[in-house]
Amino acid sequence: MPPSWQHLYQHYKARAFALWLSALLVFSISTCALANDIQDDDLKAVYLFRFALLVDWKSSHQSSSQYHFCVDADNGVSQKLKAIIQQKPLAVFHQIQNTQAQPPGCHIVYSTTDQADQVSALKARFPDALLVGEGRRFVRAGGMMAFVRMNNRIKPLINRSHLVGVPFSLRSQLLSIAVIDEEDKA
């Protein structure tokens, strides 16, 4: 190859590499920005809403009636869940923190407590509901399902022994994305 062609080839090769490297950098930055746009509270709220659809409610819920979502705290997750539910005609949001009035049949109860006596009180107050909370301490306190972080992702943690005797069952789609509590396997 003549020296002028070789120089031209090296020049274009360097430009192509620089262009490829720039494209890779832009792609990685935009991917990180998109990943950061979805916050944990958003993801947990979507999970909570989807849980109602991933549970076989048997006789406790007719397909044409509404799902009732109850929360015991005003936090980021409950606010995001309320925003989702306001757009869905088959869902109703209830704040149960400061009220003694019993909402009509909560299907999903989201709690921020990890105290065993408070979890037991919620189970007694809402015996037909899926009780969801935060972290392994919630499940150890008697909760049925909790959000945990594994491999930098939010996952539902399920303790099947806390689901014994409830009038619903979890569908395989939910079980396939969840982590089963290790103490549950013993």
Side-chain angles (χ1 to χ4, degrees):
M1 197 174 342
S4 63
W5 285 102
Q6 190 174 13
H7 176 66
L8 189 61
Y9 173 73
Q10 293 294 342
H11 177 69
Y12 281 115
K13 187 176 175 184
R15 287 185 73 191
F17 179 73
L19 183 61
W20 177 82
L21 190 58
S22 298
L24 182 63
L25 183 63
V26 167
F27 175 74
S28 64
I29 290 171
S30 66
T31 302
C32 289
L34 288 174
N36 289 335
D37 286 347
I38 300 174
Q39 300 296 319
D40 288 352
D41 290 350
D42 294 315
L43 184 59
K44 291 174 184 178
V46 170
Y47 262 133
L48 285 168
F49 183 77
R50 295 289 181 200
F51 287 163
L53 306 173
L54 295 173
V55 170
D56 181 8
W57 296 103
K58 299 178 183 165
S59 63
S60 66
H61 186 269
Q62 280 66 36
S63 60
S64 62
S65 63
Q66 295 178 317
Y67 292 105
H68 292 265
F69 295 84
C70 300
V71 299
D72 71 351
D74 186 21
N75 61 15
V77 175
S78 63
Q79 291 170 3
K80 300 290 184 174
L81 179 62
K82 185 176 184 179
I84 292 170
I85 289 172
Q86 287 175 341
Q87 300 172 9
K88 307 294 182 186
L90 293 178
V92 180
F93 181 86
H94 301 280
Q95 178 67 258
I96 59 172
Q97 179 183 17
N98 296 324
T99 180
Q100 295 300 324
Q102 185 78 358
C106 294
H107 293 91
I108 307 287
V109 174
Y110 173 71
S111 177
T112 58
T113 187
D114 61 4
Q115 302 300 312
D117 58 333
Q118 294 173 354
V119 173
S120 293
L122 285 171
K123 284 173 105 173
R125 186 173 172 194
F126 305 102
D128 297 338
L130 176 63
L131 192 55
V132 183
E134 296 286 337
R136 293 183 186 278
R137 288 182 61 178
F138 177 79
V139 172
R140 301 288 190 278
M144 299 168 185
M145 187 182 308
F147 294 115
V148 294
R149 184 173 291 282
M150 298 189 75
N151 299 326
N152 207 24
R153 293 186 176 176
I154 301 294
K155 302 279 268 180
L157 173 71
I158 297 173
N159 187 306
R160 293 179 299 188
S161 64
H162 296 169
L163 293 165
V164 173
V166 296
F168 58 84
S169 60
L170 306 181
R171 293 188 179 167
S172 61
Q173 298 95 330
L174 178 53
L175 294 172
S176 70
I177 63 168
V179 177
I180 304 301
D181 188 28
E182 291 300 320
E183 288 187 4
D184 183 32
K185 294 179 182 176

